[in-house]
Amino acid sequence: MPERMPRDQRLVLTIAILASFVSFLDGTVVTVALPAIRDDLGGGLATQQWVVDAYLITLGALILVAGSLSDVYGRIRVLRWGLVLFGITSIAIAAAPTPEFLIVARALQGVAGALLVPSSLALITATFRDAAQARAIGIWTAATTGAMVVGPVIGGLSVDLLSWRLVFLINVVPIGVTLWLLAVLRRPDVRAPGRTVDVWGAVLCTLGLGGMVFALIEQPSLGWGSPAIWGSAAVGVASFAGFLVRQA
């Protein structure tokens, strides 16, 4: 039977799970709210796609550079930044007056999510060793995966019984609890000396993904002959190619 975790390790694991949970939860909970968002704010299929994709693009494009930020500025500090930004953007999304405002807020929320996931995992690897580390990562993975399962259920209940806006306010409670636990932890932050952030890599990856996805989403309504479509596709392909060359 595994040994009981010390208090600090239990606290770190709880913080890491809660921080990652809200990030993964918001990636899935929004899908069931899309019809209600359309009825309330308007917008067609492209708007609904962007409500989902704006979050996923910034999350996926910046998750690597966010890991570097954790090394440079400290895992706890970056985790706190991500939690605060995620909470602010969640409130902004819940109060969104227009589809455009909602999409921008979702993109910023993806930035916050990118700060949360690698910082959470880095906090675990810095705290646990050997078999205890493998066990902690397994618990963290199982808990965050659970967010993908319960997300549509929570979203569906919120939309049917109350409002789609409540779907995004659900995050505020676990974010507040996590920030409180970080204050209780009272652990000195850890930084990796000599590490730097690949800013150009992050810019190229974000432009590459964003340009190509924009072209694919808007092409049915604007057509491939539109400069906005072929121009964004060309910028996306060129940027992503530049990203691959730079990383090689």
Side-chain angles (χ1 to χ4, degrees):
M1 183 178 179
E3 295 182 3
R4 183 178 175 82
M5 290 183 188
R7 175 184 174 276
D8 279 0
Q9 289 187 346
R10 293 199 307 272
L11 200 54
V12 165
L13 185 56
T14 302
I15 290 169
I17 287 173
L18 286 174
S20 299
F21 186 86
V22 296
S23 177
F24 285 102
L25 178 68
D26 243 49
T28 57
V29 74
V30 68
T31 54
V32 296
L34 291 176
I37 293 173
R38 179 198 60 207
D39 294 341
D40 188 12
L41 299 182
L45 179 61
T47 297
Q48 295 182 64
Q49 287 178 305
W50 272 111
V51 170
V52 177
D53 292 337
Y55 178 82
L56 296 178
I57 289 172
T58 52
L59 175 68
L62 297 176
I63 200 166
L64 295 178
V65 73
S68 299
L69 287 173
S70 296
D71 292 334
V72 174
Y73 296 104
R75 289 139 190 160
I76 294 177
R77 175 179 291 183
V78 172
L79 192 62
R80 190 176 286 114
W81 289 348
L83 288 167
V84 172
L85 181 58
F86 208 97
I88 292 172
T89 52
S90 295
I91 295 172
I93 291 168
T98 64
E100 294 78 14
F101 184 96
L102 175 60
I103 291 169
V104 172
R106 282 284 289 172
L108 293 174
Q109 192 179 50
V111 176
L115 295 176
L116 294 178
V117 178
S119 299
S120 301
L121 186 56
L123 196 58
I124 291 176
T125 56
T127 304
F128 295 85
R129 292 290 181 271
D130 303 323
Q133 184 181 100
R135 179 188 174 208
I137 292 176
I139 295 172
W140 175 81
T141 303
T144 51
T145 302
M148 301 180 186
V149 178
V150 303
V153 178
I154 294 174
L157 290 174
S158 299
V159 171
D160 289 342
L161 300 179
L162 297 166
S163 167
W164 68 265
R165 298 179 185 274
L166 184 64
V167 170
F168 299 97
L169 292 178
I170 293 172
N171 298 318
V172 175
V173 174
I175 287 173
V177 171
T178 310
L179 286 170
W180 175 73
L181 290 176
L182 280 173
V184 171
L185 184 61
R186 293 182 180 177
R187 167 178 292 195
D189 218 341
V190 178
R191 302 179 186 181
R195 293 290 180 88
T196 58
V197 178
D198 183 10
V199 177
W200 278 111
V203 171
L204 289 171
C205 185
T206 305
L207 288 176
L209 290 175
M212 289 186 288
V213 171
F214 175 85
L216 292 173
I217 290 177
E218 296 295 335
Q219 183 273 329
S221 58
L222 299 179
W224 286 111
S226 170
I229 298 301
W230 59 257
S232 61
V235 170
V237 170
S239 298
F240 200 71
F243 169 75
L244 294 177
V245 171
R246 181 176 177 82
Q247 298 308 306

